[in-house]
Amino acid sequence: MNKLIPHLIAGLGASIAIGLLSFLDTNLTNVVLIMAPFGATAVLVFGLPDSPLAQPKNVVFGHLITAFIGLFFVHFIEVSPLTLGLATGIGVSAMLMSKTTHPPAGANPLLIMLSGQSLGWFFLVTPVLIGALVIVLIGKFMQELQKKFN
């Protein structure tokens, strides 16, 4: 039973974080706060909080760096099979070089480039920055809660 509680707390934390972002996304006008890669981010932040890949710096800057690359390609290059691969590869290299590797963020260039819409640079703030920060903050709160059961 003692091993079950941390797993349930991790699932609860992921539910709270994604649920809150989704609720706010639905109920606030002109604000986007949820994106698919955040689901994978929740797995790392809540399920493997001690992983280097789940640390706040990696979560926030991994998402920001790769989203910037996706937006750069949308605005200044073009979307093609070649540039989808190139943007993803540049994102991987940029995260590795900056020591902010966060695997779910590797999906950001694809998400942005394939979205079929002209996303503005404010996408870096919402959903990317605000969403990542909400997940990190709830993750830290849930880690403190888990310590009480250990």
Side-chain angles (χ1 to χ4, degrees):
M1 184 67 168
N2 284 348
K3 293 187 179 205
L4 183 61
I5 290 175
H7 299 307
L8 294 174
I9 291 173
L12 176 64
S15 294
I16 291 169
I18 298 301
L20 176 63
L21 289 172
S22 182
F23 175 80
L24 294 172
D25 182 90
T26 301
N27 290 292
L28 297 175
T29 56
N30 299 323
V31 176
V32 176
L33 290 172
I34 194 84
M35 59 182 194
F38 285 162
T41 293
V43 173
L44 286 172
V45 169
F46 297 101
L48 300 166
D50 295 327
S51 167
L53 305 174
Q55 298 313 299
K57 175 183 87 162
N58 295 60
V59 172
V60 173
F61 289 106
H63 277 297
L64 282 172
I65 289 167
T66 57
F68 174 84
I69 291 165
L71 287 167
F72 182 87
F73 271 77
V74 165
H75 288 279
F76 298 112
I77 309 217
E78 67 178 31
V79 177
S80 71
L82 178 64
T83 61
L84 286 167
L86 187 58
T88 302
I90 290 170
V92 169
S93 293
M95 286 190 292
L96 289 167
M97 289 187 292
S98 63
K99 297 183 179 9
T100 60
T101 304
H102 183 63
N108 289 343
L110 296 172
L111 168 76
I112 291 166
M113 293 170 72
L114 291 173
S115 68
Q117 47 187 304
S118 170
L119 299 173
W121 291 100
F122 196 68
F123 190 83
L124 291 172
V125 175
T126 177
V128 178
L129 178 61
I130 292 173
L133 287 174
V134 166
I135 293 170
V136 164
L137 290 173
I138 294 173
K140 289 301 178 188
F141 174 77
M142 297 308 284
Q143 284 178 9
E144 292 301 315
L145 182 62
Q146 279 192 348
K147 287 179 187 175
K148 294 182 192 263
F149 288 98
N150 290 335

